[in-house]
Amino acid sequence: MTKMVIEKGVHADIDELARLYDDLNDFLDSDINHPGWIKGVYPVRQIAEAGINEQHLHVVRQEGRIIGSIILNHHPEPAYNKASWGIESDYSKIFVIHTLVVHPDFLKAGVGKKLISFACELGKELHMKAIRLDVYENNIPAIKLYEKFGFNYIDTVDLGLGDYGLHRFRLYEKIL
């Protein structure tokens, strides 16, 4: 298997990322949609544009093709404020994972693991105190991945996405 390389996303990646999001949502429509994502709602091109403009989006490439991506920033959802986290800190020292995606052709190929490992390594390198995330409560594959990497369950919250049938999200934290 060819090596996977993670690098910061650039503006030239936006079209490919938008296609990746659409391909993944099309796949989820035909399979079990664990994350509850909806084509045209989330994730969408504007997510990639914002992540790249803010320099928070990273891509995984294999043979030049983007096969996954992750956004690591310091912007929690408002519902995070209701949780009792394992470590107290302002968000300048905490990474929040958003929009971790893997192309459907590469599911179960270790891309998600590579992205989580990268997030943890970068967090340590940049002296972050913790990494936090939210995950839809029915997204069992993602929950298992996060728990395998030592993320601790903190609480279950409502992120205000009930109109899309997404009521309960699990919050996780990994102290670095």
Side-chain angles (χ1 to χ4, degrees), residues 1-146:
M1 178 184 273
T2 312
K3 186 177 178 192
M4 289 184 256
V5 177
I6 298 182
E7 57 195 16
K8 219 164 234 190
V10 296
H11 287 278
D13 295 332
I14 292 173
D15 288 343
E16 190 175 355
L17 284 162
R19 282 192 303 277
L20 167 61
Y21 295 165
D22 284 346
D23 289 349
L24 181 56
N25 277 318
D26 288 344
F27 172 80
L28 293 172
D29 281 346
S30 67
D31 197 66
I32 299 170
N33 188 345
H34 294 287
W37 289 351
I38 302 167
K39 188 172 182 175
V41 176
Y42 188 87
V44 292
R45 177 185 192 89
Q46 291 82 356
I47 300 289
E49 290 171 347
I52 287 171
N53 287 337
E54 296 169 7
Q55 298 189 5
H56 296 152
L57 187 144
H58 301 269
V59 297
V60 182
R61 292 185 202 278
Q62 189 172 52
E63 297 179 356
R65 177 182 179 191
I66 296 174
I67 61 171
S69 73
I70 189 171
I71 294 174
L72 296 169
N73 65 29
H74 308 283
H75 309 302
E77 296 294 326
Y80 283 36
N81 295 329
K82 299 174 185 166
S84 295
W85 296 97
I87 190 169
E88 287 298 317
S89 178
D90 68 78
Y91 275 89
S92 68
K93 289 292 180 190
I94 294 175
F95 269 154
V96 180
I97 292 177
H98 302 276
T99 323
L100 190 158
V101 297
V102 176
H103 192 281
D105 293 347
F106 294 87
L107 294 173
K108 298 188 174 143
V111 179
K113 290 177 186 170
K114 181 120 178 136
L115 285 166
I116 296 297
S117 290
F118 169 79
C120 294
E121 290 168 20
L122 184 63
K124 288 176 184 170
E125 183 181 311
L126 297 177
H127 308 289
M128 294 293 120
K129 293 183 177 180
I131 300 175
R132 295 178 181 164
L133 61 91
D134 59 79
V135 57
Y136 179 51
E137 69 177 351
N138 292 339
N139 192 349
I140 304 305
I143 289 169
K144 286 182 179 177
L145 175 66
Y146 300 135

